[in-house]
């Protein structure tokens, strides 16, 4: 089943109020390509103002806690980021898994909390370079997917992002054949986990996607879009990726 391409920018810990003009410029490009679903996940401090300034443009978060409230200093609940104006959240990004010790179980609970609050969830999975070199990439990624998979998952709110850890922020991109193999494995695992409706779950590729390689990556079977870090910070870099997606 053909899915609309979905292009999401992950700003990570970048962006002050001054960079809201970059989100506005990106939203303007997205508005011209309405056959693509595009969005930006800025730092939580910018969600409310980015949402208010860009009606109709999908602003997301980069994380949420799995509890509804409580003694979790420095964390934000799904309801909090929703109230701020986010409509979805990236969850289980490899930087959160590595820097904050997030387990598959945590990511599953976060996705369920996001859904309960009315948010979409983009669950990230991906192997390290050592795991790929050891021939374990598919087993690691499908294992992460099973462990992180939320109850009651449905394509209306769940997206998967395959992000090889060694490709994030490095300028290195896997061979198209490796991306194809992994996305097919993820598609098969989704079929096993959820049965009917699994074909409609979008599987994004993430890791050094840019305006120069987006067309090739987006043409790979089962690549339904991209999760983009460095090349999402302004319209000059992110616009060409949205345009590339629009050609499909
Ligand atoms: C990411 O961190 O989600 C990502 C894909 O980063 P980059 O595009 O910079 O590799």
């Amino acid at each position: 089943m053909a899915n609309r391409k979905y292009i999401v920018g992950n700003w990570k810990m970048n962006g002050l109020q001054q960079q809201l003009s970059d989100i506005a410029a990106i939203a303007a490009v997205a508005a011209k390509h309405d056959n693509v679903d595009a969005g930006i996940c800025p730092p939580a401090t910018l969600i409310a103002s980015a949402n208010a300034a860009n009606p109709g443009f999908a602003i997301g978060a980069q994380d949420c806690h799995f509890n509804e409230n409580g003694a979790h200093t420095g964390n934000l609940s799904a309801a909090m980021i929703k109230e701020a104006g986010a409509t979805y959240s990236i969850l289980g990004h490899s930087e959160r898994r590595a820097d904050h010790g997030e387990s598959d179980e945590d990511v599953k609970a976060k996705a369920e909390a996001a859904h309960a609050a009315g948010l979409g969830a983009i669950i990230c999975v991906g192997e390290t370079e050592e795991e790929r070199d050891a021939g374990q990439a598919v087993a690691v990624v499908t294992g992460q997917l099973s462990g992180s998979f939320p109850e009651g998952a449905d394509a209306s709110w769940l997206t998967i992002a395959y992000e090889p850890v060694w490709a994030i922020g490095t300028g290195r991109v896997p061979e198209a054949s490796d991306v194809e193999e992994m996305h097919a494995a993820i598609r098969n695992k989704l079929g096993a986990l959820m049965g009917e409706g699994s074909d409609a779950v979008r599987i994004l590729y993430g890791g050094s996607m840019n305006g120069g390689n987006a067309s090739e990556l987006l043409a790979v079977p089962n690549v339904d879009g991209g999760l983009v870090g460095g090349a999402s910070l302004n319209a000059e870099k992110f616009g060409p990726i949205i345009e590339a997606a629009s050609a499909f």
Side-chain angles (χ1 to χ4, degrees), residues 10 12 93 95 163 167-170 206-209 227-231:
N10 172 14
K12 312 189 183 192
H93 189 281
E95 288 155 16
E163 300 205 299
I168 294 178
T170 60
S208 298
M209 184 181 272
L227 182 54
V228 184

Side-chain angles (χ1 to χ4, degrees), residues 42-186:
T45 47
L46 294 185
I47 290 174
S49 32
N51 184 56
N54 300 285
F57 183 64
I59 300 297
Q62 300 172 14
D63 179 44
C64 70
H65 201 275
F66 44 75
N67 283 342
E68 281 179 36
N69 49 44
H72 304 291
T73 302
N75 285 117
L76 298 172
S77 71
M80 289 171 185
I81 57 175
K82 179 156 193 265
E83 187 177 64
T87 50
Y88 58 101
S89 183
I90 297 168
L91 297 170
H93 189 281
S94 61
E95 288 155 16
R96 302 254 357 139
R97 290 179 186 259
D99 299 351
H100 301 269
E102 287 187 10
S103 65
D104 289 340
E105 218 172 34
D106 294 332
V107 177
K108 169 178 156 68
K110 286 175 180 227
E112 289 166 0
H115 176 55
L119 294 170
I122 300 175
I123 293 182
C124 303
V125 290
E127 82 284 358
T128 63
E129 185 155 34
E130 293 69 34
E131 289 163 341
R132 176 157 288 274
D133 289 347
Q136 297 166 346
V138 168
V140 165
V141 167
T142 53
Q144 284 177 336
L145 181 58
S146 299
S148 310
F149 201 73
E151 290 294 328
D154 184 85
S156 62
W157 61 272
L158 180 68
T159 300
I160 306 300
Y162 166 56
E163 300 205 299
V165 177
W166 51 273
I168 294 178
T170 60
R172 295 170 58 201
V173 173
E175 297 294 330
S177 56
D178 290 332
V179 175
E180 180 169 357
E181 179 194 32
M182 188 63 79
H183 279 237
I186 292 171

